[in-house]
Every structure is written in C-alpha cells, then in structure tokens.
Amino acid sequence: MQLSDVENLYITPLAQPFSSIPLRQVADVKTHWLPTSIIHRNGKRCVTVTAENKRGVLAAKVQKNIKKILEKDFVLPAGVRYEIGGEPEQNLQTVPEVALGISIALVIIFFFLLFNFRRFGLTGVCMASILLSLPGAMIGLGIANITLGLTSLFGFITLMGIIMRNEILIFEHADQMIHEGLSVRDAAFDAGRRRMVPIFLTTATTAVGVIPMILGGSSFWVPVGITIFAGGIGTLILVVTVLPVVYWKLNERAQDRKRDAYGQNP
C-alpha cells in the first residue's frame, strides 16, 4: 500500500454506522517528520519492533522462529540484548496465578473423591490419572507446531474434567460388581467393557465440538481446540485400557493384605 492509497480507504462515521466514506473527504493524508524520541524501559534505551500476523498464523510459531534466528543467525553488538514480549511475556505473568488456582481446585477435588470412595489408594489413582491427558495433547500440539502456553493450559483444565468423569464411571461400576459377588479382576474388566460406550460417546462429542475452534484459525482458540481434541482422543484410549488394569492390581493387593492379616490374626 502506498501513501496515496491510504486516503482512499473507507471509514465508518460514528453518527452513521451503516454508511462508509473515503478518508480523503474528512482528512488530508501526508508525511510529516518529527524529532526522534528515545524510549526508555526500566532505565535502559529500548527499541520496540511490532508486527501483526496473517490470519491463521499463530503468534507462538512466529516468535519461535524469531528466537531461533536471533540465537543462531544474528549477532548483536556488545551491550545490546533482546527480549521477546507479547504472548510469552504475558504467559509468564498469568501462568503462576492460573497454576495456583488449579492447585487449589485439585486439593478440593481430592477430598471430594476421598469422601466418595473412602480409600486413599483409589483416590490417589484418580488424581494421578490426570496425567493420562498429556500424551495425546502433547502429540497434537507437536503435530500442529504449537508451543505449550496459557491457552493450551485452558484445554488441559477441560481434559481434567473429562478424565475425572470417566474414571468415576469405571470405578463406581467396578465397586458395584464386586459387591454383587464378582472377583476383582472380573469386575475391573467388566467396568472397562461396559463403560466403554458412554465414555466414547461423551469424549467423542467433546472432541468433535471443538473442531470449529481449530478451523477458525484464532491464535487464542486454536491451541485450546487442539489440546482438547488430541488430548480427548488420547485420554479415551488410555482410560479404557489402563484404568481397569490399575484398579484390578490395586484392589488385588489390598485383598491379599487383608487375607494375610486375617491369617495371622484369626
């Protein structure tokens, strides 16, 4: 765009929001030289370079490439250093507060689960199962070439809720089958088989529901959508295969300890 093209841009007056007029009708566009101003930040001279990305291009990807160029291909003069602002700088300020909130939420969830199951071992398994969301989500972010940031963290929060719901479905059904007389092994595998369909349906609908986020190309919503989509699929596979086995082994050891205790103290 040339300077002469700027005056031909159409603007919308506030008094007439449904009409547009060329800028040249209300303003003159021309160059004007001003004295150079030296900007200081934290007492040091600072030159700020900003840019706007094309639609669909994520800021994290551009900043990653810029950082790689500055570290490998660009030699700064002595006494000159660089800092990358924007999203990374904002994440450093916001992530600690979000992490504190998540930690408090996990403590509350732990006591809710402990009140429901009344077993520290099973409650600990429920909390550790949150890590099952990491493989799928990290693979998805890696394929999309998106760095882990604040927006991705919002997706992990959603995955935490999905995993908690699915594991409660499995463990509650397994406990009910044990009360009806099944062995621990049969109860665990029956829970994985019976709960597979509802877990698949709920997780699949959630994963499909975030596809518009991914297709929208927004730098905010794309990491959230990819984290939920890829992490949800990975969680679906791991929950129905890993959790029944963990439940079986955990309760089998508990029953063995009870037998030993009763054998020594009839």
Side-chain angles (χ1 to χ4, degrees):
M1 180 179 293
Q2 303 297 324
L3 184 62
S4 58
D5 299 326
V6 177
E7 62 184 7
N8 294 323
L9 293 176
Y10 279 84
I11 61 174
T12 301
L14 294 177
Q16 299 177 352
F18 298 103
S19 63
S20 298
I21 59 174
L23 180 61
R24 64 176 180 272
Q25 292 187 8
V26 295
D28 295 328
V29 180
K30 56 185 178 180
T31 58
H32 183 65
W33 293 96
L34 295 174
T36 303
S37 58
I38 300 176
I39 307 299
H40 288 77
R41 185 177 181 183
N42 297 328
K44 297 182 179 179
R45 293 183 178 182
C46 175
V47 177
T48 302
V49 180
T50 61
E52 292 186 5
N53 297 331
K54 293 182 179 179
R55 182 172 179 81
V57 179
L58 301 180
K61 185 186 300 185
V62 177
Q63 290 168 343
K64 183 179 179 181
N65 294 335
I66 292 175
K67 186 176 181 180
K68 185 184 299 184
I69 293 174
L70 290 174
E71 291 177 349
K72 295 183 178 180
D73 304 329
F74 196 78
V75 180
L76 294 174
V80 178
R81 62 185 180 88
Y82 71 90
E83 292 181 2
I84 297 181
E87 185 177 337
E89 187 177 22
Q90 184 179 4
N91 289 345
L92 292 176
Q93 299 174 357
T94 309
V95 167
E97 299 177 0
V98 176
L100 178 60
I102 294 176
S103 302
I104 296 174
L106 290 177
V107 173
I108 297 174
I109 292 173
F110 175 83
F111 285 105
F112 273 120
L113 294 175
L114 182 62
F115 178 79
N116 180 62
F117 292 115
R118 291 181 171 82
R119 283 173 286 179
F120 280 100
L122 194 58
T123 302
V125 170
C126 290
M127 301 303 296
S129 299
I130 297 175
L131 300 177
L132 295 178
S133 63
L134 291 178
M138 298 305 292
I139 291 174
L141 292 174
I143 294 175
N145 194 21
I146 297 176
T147 57
L148 185 63
L150 179 62
T151 53
S152 303
L153 190 59
F154 294 150
F156 279 109
I157 294 174
T158 304
L159 291 177
M160 286 170 50
I162 295 175
I163 292 178
M164 288 293 178
R165 177 193 59 202
N166 294 340
E167 64 190 11
I168 290 174
L169 287 174
I170 291 177
F171 294 156
E172 286 284 355
H173 183 84
D175 285 345
Q176 183 179 354
M177 291 297 99
I178 291 177
H179 292 157
E180 293 181 4
L182 287 182
S183 64
V184 175
R185 181 181 182 279
D186 293 339
F189 284 94
D190 184 74
R193 184 174 61 255
R194 293 288 184 88
R195 295 304 185 186
M196 183 181 299
V197 173
I199 288 175
F200 170 79
L201 291 177
T202 55
T203 306
T205 52
T206 304
V208 173
V210 299
I211 291 180
M213 293 185 185
I214 301 175
L215 298 180
S218 171
S219 60
F220 180 87
W221 292 113
V222 168
V224 178
I226 291 178
T227 303
I228 296 176
F229 180 82
I233 295 176
T235 299
L236 169 65
I237 298 173
L238 293 176
V239 163
V240 297
T241 55
V242 174
L243 290 187
V245 177
V246 173
Y247 180 90
W248 166 35
K249 294 298 182 181
L250 182 67
N251 286 273
E252 191 176 52
R253 291 181 181 179
Q255 287 188 350
D256 292 340
R257 287 194 296 267
K258 287 183 179 179
R259 292 195 197 98
D260 295 339
Y262 285 125
Q264 296 173 3
N265 301 297

